[in-house]
């Protein structure tokens, strides 16, 4: 007996999605299942999960020749989220499930017991389905809250293949099953940290506030125990809350990386803190099958904090140079190309030397060793870091920070509002994002103001990129001070903050 069935699914390329049609032709002949359309191993193995799930639903799977085609055939297909669509397409070829108009996306992994299991990337898959014009999506019960974060699409949850088939019009009365539970959300360790806990180092606290106000990159150099990590973990608490679109993008990246997303959108900016043993793939993304986002992409609209930065391999650090300029990461693999957003604030912390005591104690490192240690941070990378500040050890009885996180966040919000009014009609929201050519053309400063920066360029102490970045920092300082344009004082402070690394 011959039959034909079709079902809709989605394939991801980075965060972008492409609609995929699953076509099944069942016919008489030798028992054999052919899966075509550039499937990876997970898709090829779906045959066994699908046939077992159909049997668990009380039905008899096709016994003859079955061809499963995933179109467009030229697009590589990866992941177990195609299972449900393949199962429904087979049931349609068996005339168990009636055909539909192709506006229902089916997403989920099948177990041998027929139950539907959640998959990584349900949120971006549902977003891609909505962008492809589909009006509803069927997902595992555990993924309903996640998929419901996408506006404009109806979400249906099913605990098993049989229940999904019944939702789609099959004349089945499936027995109740226990749904596969959703994983618990990952707690945000930095959510409740307050800047008022920081003692001393007012210059570093001020630099942190400037970084937050203008979305500038920051390097902190100081001995162990000076409070660099303590300061870094308080940066998300003074950043502006994410917009709904930004929060959705952050949640999509975390979902694609395999992290359980919250049931509601989290507006706290993300904070990624990879260990210095991190590989290039873990930092920027990659993978042999499905291309996953790395820490830099997951830090989008938030903070990427690299503690003990000179301990990272130099080649890994230098991979951040292109994302720092473009705000995106494009990963090329044999299986395809994926592009992820990477508009993050880079926060670096470093000791001044291997022993960590240079400038604050009895350093035992010879000058050549100190230079070799700090040279692991390449010049081109440091040239993209707007603020460089010294963090010293705090003495007993030192004064606390000048303001709490709430007070600093209010000042940052006011400065961001001034910048947004200035940048109205552009794609940028903070001065740290503005390209140099646009800045010079639309917000020119007088020659007298720029003279200290131009002299630094002539001496070789500053590059033209560094000059543009210093000007952007000066504009952010003016926004924090509530004035319309930078003064000579702002220019001088911005230049000093680019020379904060010890020699």
């Amino acid at each position: 007996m011959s039959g034909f069935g079709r079902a809709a699914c989605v394939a991801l390329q980075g965060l972008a999605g492409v609609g995929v049609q699953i076509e099944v032709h069942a016919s008489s002949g030798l028992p054999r299942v052919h899966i075509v359309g550039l499937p990876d191993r997970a898709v090829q193995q779906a045959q066994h999960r699908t046939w077992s799930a159909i049997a668990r639903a009380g039905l008899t799977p096709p016994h003859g020749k079955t061809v499963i085609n995933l179109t467009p055939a030229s697009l590589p297909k990866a992941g177990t989220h195609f299972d449900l669509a393949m199962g429904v397409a087979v049931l349609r070829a068996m005339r168990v499930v009636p055909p539909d108009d192709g506006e229902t996306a089916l997403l989920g992994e099948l177990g041998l017991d027929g139950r539907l299991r959640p998959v990584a990337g349900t949120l971006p898959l549902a977003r891609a389905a909505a962008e492809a014009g589909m009006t509803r999506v069927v997902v595992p019960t555990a993924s309903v809250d996640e998929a419901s974060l996408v506006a404009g699409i109806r979400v249906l949850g099913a605990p098993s293949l049989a229940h999904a088939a019944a939702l789609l019009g099959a004349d089945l009365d499936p027995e109740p099953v226990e749904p596969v539970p959703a994983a618990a959300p990952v707690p945000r360790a930095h959510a409740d940290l307050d800047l008022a806990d920081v003692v001393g180092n007012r210059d570093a606290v001020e630099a942190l506030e400037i970084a937050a106000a203008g979305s500038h990159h920051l390097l902190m150099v100081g001995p162990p125990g000076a409070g660099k990590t303590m300061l870094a973990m308080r940066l998300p608490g003074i950043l502006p809350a994410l917009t709904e679109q930004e929060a959705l993008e952050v949640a999509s990246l975390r979902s694609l990386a395999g992290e359980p997303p919250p049931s509601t959108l989290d507006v706290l900016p993300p904070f990624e803190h990879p260990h210095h043993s991190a590989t290039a793939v873990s930092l920027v993304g990659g993978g042999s099958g499905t291309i996953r986002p790395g820490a830099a992409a997951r830090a989008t609209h938030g903070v990427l904090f690299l503690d003990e930065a000179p301990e990272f391999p130099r080649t890994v650090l230098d991979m951040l140079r292109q994302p720092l300029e473009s705000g995106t990461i494009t990963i090329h693999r044999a299986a395809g190309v994926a592009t992820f957003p990477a508009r993050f604030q880079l926060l670096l912390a470093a000791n001044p030397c291997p022993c960590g005591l240079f400038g604050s104690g009895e350093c035992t490192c010879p000058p050549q060793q100190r230079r070799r240690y700090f040279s692991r941070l390449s010049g081109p990378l440091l040239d993209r870091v707007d603020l460089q500040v010294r963090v010293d050890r705090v003495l007993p009885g030192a004064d606390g920070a000048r303001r709490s996180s709430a007070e600093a966040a209010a000042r940052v919000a006011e400065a961001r509002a001034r910048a947004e009014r200035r940048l109205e009609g552009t794609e940028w929201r903070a001065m740290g994002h503005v390209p140099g050519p646009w800045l010079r053309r639309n917000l020119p400063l007088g020659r007298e103001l720029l003279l200290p920066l131009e002299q630094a360029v002539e001496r070789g102490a500053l590059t033209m990129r560094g000059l543009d970045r210093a000007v952007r920092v000066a504009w952010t300082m003016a926004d924090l001070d509530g004035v319309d344009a930078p003064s000579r004082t702002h220019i001088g402070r911005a230049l000093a903050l680019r020379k904060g690394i010890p020699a």
Side-chain angles (χ1 to χ4, degrees):
M1 180 177 176
S2 177
F4 181 83
R6 181 185 286 117
C9 195
V10 179
L12 287 178
Q13 293 178 307
L15 278 189
V18 178
V20 173
Q21 290 290 325
I22 312 294
E23 301 174 333
V24 174
H25 181 220
S27 61
S28 59
L30 293 175
R32 185 74 183 271
V33 177
H34 304 271
I35 301 179
V36 297
L38 296 184
D40 73 345
R41 287 184 62 86
V43 179
Q44 291 174 344
Q45 293 169 354
Q47 169 203 344
H48 307 290
R49 297 189 294 271
T50 301
W51 260 239
S52 178
I54 291 174
R56 292 289 295 179
L59 302 169
T60 303
H63 286 302
K65 178 182 177 182
T66 304
V67 179
I68 302 176
N69 182 35
L70 290 76
T71 61
S74 60
L75 178 72
K77 319 298 188 307
T80 58
H81 67 276
F82 292 101
D83 287 8
L84 177 57
M86 293 172 65
V88 169
V90 171
L91 292 178
R92 283 182 173 144
M94 296 168 57
R95 299 181 176 86
V96 174
V97 177
D100 70 353
D101 51 11
E103 294 187 357
T104 302
L106 304 166
L107 309 170
E109 176 185 324
L110 288 172
L112 295 181
D113 58 358
R115 291 194 299 172
L116 285 170
R117 302 175 180 276
V119 294
T122 295
L123 181 54
L125 286 166
R127 288 180 68 193
E131 292 169 358
M134 300 183 194
T135 59
R136 66 176 183 172
V137 59
V138 179
V139 298
T141 303
S143 301
V144 170
D145 289 343
E146 179 180 349
S148 297
L149 296 175
V150 180
I153 192 167
R154 183 184 175 199
V155 179
L156 302 176
S160 70
L161 174 62
H163 287 80
L167 284 175
L168 297 172
D171 186 16
L172 296 176
D173 186 18
E175 297 181 359
V177 296
E178 185 69 23
V180 176
V186 178
R188 307 291 293 275
H190 60 289
D192 301 322
L193 302 178
D194 200 303
L195 197 60
D197 298 333
V198 178
V199 176
N201 277 311
R202 292 190 173 185
D203 289 343
V205 172
E206 180 184 10
L208 199 73
E209 194 174 275
I210 294 170
S215 193
H216 300 290
H217 309 305
L218 171 64
L219 166 64
M220 296 181 290
V221 180
K228 303 184 293 295
T229 302
M230 187 178 189
L231 282 162
M233 296 187 71
R234 281 152 179 79
L235 178 56
I238 64 175
L239 290 173
L242 301 178
T243 65
E244 182 178 351
Q245 186 61 32
E246 290 172 344
L248 188 61
E249 192 169 60
V250 169
S252 297
L253 287 163
R254 292 188 174 279
S255 175
L256 190 56
E259 296 183 21
S263 57
T264 58
L265 288 178
D266 190 351
V267 297
L268 181 68
F271 182 84
E272 290 292 326
H273 184 188
H275 190 261
H276 60 255
S277 62
T279 63
V281 170
S282 66
L283 190 62
V284 301
S288 57
T290 302
I291 301 176
R292 303 293 187 191
R298 298 196 303 273
T300 292
H301 306 306
V303 179
L304 176 62
F305 175 46
L306 304 184
D307 201 2
E308 305 292 347
E311 299 295 341
F312 282 79
R314 181 167 175 167
T315 54
V316 173
L317 289 176
D318 282 344
M319 286 186 175
L320 296 175
R321 287 156 52 179
Q322 182 264 337
L324 288 174
E325 290 291 329
S326 66
T328 60
I329 292 176
T330 301
I331 300 170
H332 296 261
R333 293 291 185 270
V337 179
T339 298
F340 299 107
R343 180 67 72 183
F344 56 85
Q345 276 186 259
L346 180 62
L347 198 53
L348 303 171
N351 294 326
C353 64
C355 77
L357 298 179
F358 178 63
S360 61
E362 297 183 0
C363 176
T364 59
C365 306
Q368 185 178 4
Q369 188 178 14
R370 291 198 301 266
R371 287 193 297 270
R372 185 167 57 249
Y373 176 77
F374 218 83
S375 68
R376 297 177 189 176
L377 301 178
S378 68
L381 176 64
L382 290 179
D383 198 34
R384 291 165 168 82
V385 178
D386 304 340
L387 306 167
Q388 301 169 10
V389 64
R390 173 82 188 191
V391 182
D392 293 313
R393 283 178 174 168
V394 179
L395 299 176
D399 295 334
R402 290 178 293 179
R403 55 183 62 91
S404 66
S405 286
E407 294 168 334
R411 279 174 47 83
V412 167
E414 291 177 6
R416 286 281 186 117
R418 294 179 68 89
E420 287 181 12
R421 288 193 294 270
R422 183 184 306 118
L423 301 172
E424 189 175 0
T426 72
E427 60 182 290
W428 311 295
R429 296 178 55 204
M431 293 308 299
H433 300 158
V434 180
W438 189 95
L439 191 69
R440 292 190 294 272
R441 183 173 57 252
N442 295 277
L443 298 173
L445 298 178
R447 179 68 186 274
E448 291 185 359
L449 279 178
L450 296 177
L451 185 60
L453 300 179
E454 292 176 352
Q455 291 174 341
V457 173
E458 292 172 357
R459 295 194 307 270
L462 203 64
T463 65
M464 284 302 296
R465 181 195 285 122
L467 185 149
D468 288 337
R469 290 186 175 274
V471 170
R472 286 185 287 190
V473 170
W475 275 103
T476 299
M477 291 177 176
D479 289 335
L480 283 168
D481 290 343
V483 297
D484 293 333
S487 66
R488 193 177 183 88
T489 301
H490 294 134
I491 294 292
R493 288 168 62 201
L495 180 59
L497 283 171
R498 283 196 64 84
K499 305 299 295 179
I501 299 179

